[in-house]
Amino acid sequence: MDKEQVKLLHEFVKLCKANPGVLNSPELEFYRQWLESIGARIPAQCGDGGAPCGGCKKPAAAGDHHHHHKAPSPPMPEAEEEENSPESEVEIDMDGVIAPDNDPPQAMGDESLEPSDDMLELSSTKRDEATVAASEGNLEEAVNCYTQAIKNNPASALLYAKRASIYIRLQKPNAAIRDCTKAIELNPDSAQPYKWRGKAQRLLGNWEEAFHDLSKSCQLDYDDDTNEARREVEPKAKKLMEHKRKQERKREEKELARRRERIRKAKEEAEKARKEQKHEPKFGGFPGGRAGGFPGAGMAGMPDLTALLQDPELLEAFQDPEVSMAFQDISTNPANISKYQNNPKIQKLMKKMAKKFDAPPGAMDEDTEDVSGSASGSTGHTVPPQPDID
């Protein structure tokens, strides 16, 4: 393809960028079909059936009420697994689950308080009264007595656990959970808080939390009542845990597939860019006889560009990033050659290219000086000194 053809192609591409709708022309049907076959998207032409307008960047003529475009179809969203799909739901028997209590938080003890002996004695008395009230079914009175006991002995984890047991009987699981959590903070090695918090979680249908708390209680201090409650919630808890593991695996697999797709697309883009760059010179604009060209350009005997680029020594030299960048710098502004006067590698390249420009036809291959090596490199023969380049 000669330079004139390349220039025409370049102008056509610029036209397509400015007015993509031109590709809808009947004369370019063969080209449009090829573009679509490789995945390109061609803008639709105007709805009035007229010539393509490339997106109608120009305003419509006055009184033209029919000039419109077909709205582009929105990209289809990636299919996501619905949370309420049968695959994402787990059938769990919710028998015995109650509505959560929403009462204001109950009174707690002041941990910074150091109880006196009288306070500790009063706390013990109130605890006994709470036990009697609970045995008689007077649960609200039992809660009040335990609250008084807690205020007089705020560091007792057992008092919080006992009040939590009364809240369980009152069907107030959230209140029980607050008491048990406080008790665990005070004494994490006590089994009672875990027991009652596990039972409270069971009332709320929090099967996994109930199973963990009841299992911890049995681990710390086994009793038949706690173990029976643990065995009741275990199948439901494990069913939920297995379901979550499956869902997590699906999410990981989906994310892995997305990552692989991104990598595949990135590789395709890199390969495409590599192929495009393969046909382009690896350096900046080649010097010519105009401003910004290589020094000495415009002289008689300027070699053909294609033949010049076929010189193996020059091609090898331009593989060096330092040489390539310097050549671009000098091509942009010839005065920049002064920056490389003390660079033997660049000076060798400049001298060799100057000889190519000055040499008559047929002298292209006479010079065998190695331009890609260092300043001390030698090919075994003496090269006549070359004139300095201004």
Side-chain angles (χ1 to χ4, degrees):
M1 181 179 291
D2 58 34
K3 294 182 179 180
E4 192 63 26
Q5 290 175 321
V6 173
K7 182 178 179 181
L8 290 174
L9 179 59
H10 180 68
E11 293 299 323
F12 176 71
V13 172
K14 287 173 62 177
L15 173 63
C16 291
K17 287 182 179 180
N19 185 9
V22 75
L23 295 172
N24 288 294
S25 300
E27 306 84 53
L28 296 176
E29 182 179 1
F30 71 99
Y31 186 57
R32 182 173 65 253
Q33 290 177 352
W34 176 75
L35 289 175
E36 291 174 343
S37 71
I38 60 174
R41 295 177 59 186
I42 309 300
Q45 67 180 31
C46 297
D48 59 0
C53 66
C56 284
K57 294 181 181 179
K58 296 181 181 179
D64 185 0
H65 302 291
H66 302 285
H67 194 69
H68 58 86
H69 289 276
K70 184 188 297 181
S73 301
M76 294 297 292
E78 184 177 352
E80 295 287 346
E81 182 176 337
E82 298 181 2
E83 292 298 326
N84 58 354
S85 66
E87 294 182 357
S88 63
E89 289 184 347
V90 180
E91 294 293 334
I92 299 290
D93 180 12
M94 303 298 283
D95 184 42
V97 175
I98 65 173
D101 52 304
N102 297 313
D103 296 340
Q106 63 271 31
M108 300 288 184
D110 183 2
E111 294 180 52
S112 63
L113 179 66
E114 293 187 7
S116 62
D117 292 341
D118 291 340
M119 293 175 67
L120 292 175
E121 184 176 352
L122 179 58
S123 175
S124 179
T125 300
K126 289 298 180 180
R127 183 188 62 185
D128 293 340
E129 292 176 3
T131 302
V132 172
S135 64
E136 294 176 351
N138 192 352
L139 301 181
E140 293 292 348
E141 179 62 23
V143 168
N144 292 332
C145 290
Y146 276 126
T147 300
Q148 293 300 316
I150 288 171
K151 288 182 177 180
N152 284 278
N153 186 10
S156 174
L158 185 58
L159 289 175
Y160 282 104
K162 287 187 174 293
R163 188 171 69 173
S165 68
I166 304 300
Y167 281 131
I168 293 294
R169 293 173 64 181
L170 287 169
Q171 301 284 280
K172 294 183 177 182
N174 281 329
I177 289 173
R178 286 192 290 268
D179 270 356
C180 291
T181 300
K182 184 65 177 180
I184 291 170
E185 291 176 3
L186 294 170
N187 184 7
D189 295 325
S190 176
Q192 288 296 304
Y194 288 105
K195 172 182 178 176
W196 297 114
R197 191 171 71 175
K199 289 194 172 187
Q201 299 284 16
R202 186 259 176 267
L203 288 175
L204 293 171
N206 299 328
W207 308 108
E208 293 178 74
E209 293 84 351
F211 176 69
H212 290 310
D213 279 342
L214 294 169
S215 297
K216 181 68 173 179
S217 178
C218 288
Q219 179 185 351
L220 292 170
D221 186 11
Y222 178 88
D223 70 73
D224 290 336
D225 179 58
T226 306
N227 188 54
E228 183 179 350
R230 183 190 66 81
R231 292 176 61 184
E232 177 194 0
V233 302
E234 182 176 10
K236 300 174 184 179
K238 289 189 174 180
K239 189 175 183 179
L240 284 170
M241 288 187 283
E242 178 61 24
H243 173 71
K244 287 185 177 180
R245 281 193 292 268
K246 289 181 179 179
Q247 292 296 95
E248 183 61 28
R249 282 197 297 270
K250 288 181 181 179
R251 282 191 290 270
E252 290 174 355
E253 290 170 0
K254 186 178 292 186
E255 178 58 31
L256 179 60
R258 291 196 192 101
R259 191 178 305 125
R260 286 175 175 171
E261 179 64 14
R262 289 195 296 267
I263 293 173
R264 184 189 66 79
K265 289 182 178 179
K267 287 182 177 179
E268 287 182 354
E269 291 295 327
E271 179 65 16
K272 181 179 178 182
R274 187 188 67 79
K275 289 180 178 179
E276 291 176 352
Q277 293 176 359
K278 185 177 180 181
H279 302 290
E280 297 177 358
K282 295 182 174 58
F283 43 84
F286 194 80
R290 299 176 183 175
F294 184 79
M299 300 179 182
M302 177 178 175
D304 177 65
L305 175 63
T306 304
L308 186 61
L309 293 180
Q310 289 176 349
D311 188 311
E313 294 182 3
L314 286 176
L315 289 177
E316 183 180 358
F318 281 118
Q319 298 298 319
D320 187 330
E322 181 185 359
V323 172
S324 180
M325 291 180 65
F327 185 73
Q328 291 184 40
D329 188 23
I330 297 170
S331 297
T332 303
N333 183 3
N336 290 340
I337 194 171
S338 61
K339 297 192 298 184
Y340 305 97
Q341 288 181 350
N342 297 324
N343 189 321
K345 189 186 300 185
I346 306 303
Q347 286 298 310
K348 278 192 174 186
L349 175 68
M350 296 297 102
K351 291 177 180 180
K352 183 172 182 68
M353 294 193 69
K355 287 180 63 179
K356 292 294 184 185
F357 276 96
D358 291 336
M364 183 70 71
D365 300 323
E366 291 178 2
D367 183 16
T368 57
E369 180 182 5
D370 182 5
V371 299
S372 61
S374 63
S376 60
S378 174
T379 59
H381 65 278
T382 303
V383 179
Q386 302 298 324
D388 292 335
I389 302 174
D390 293 331

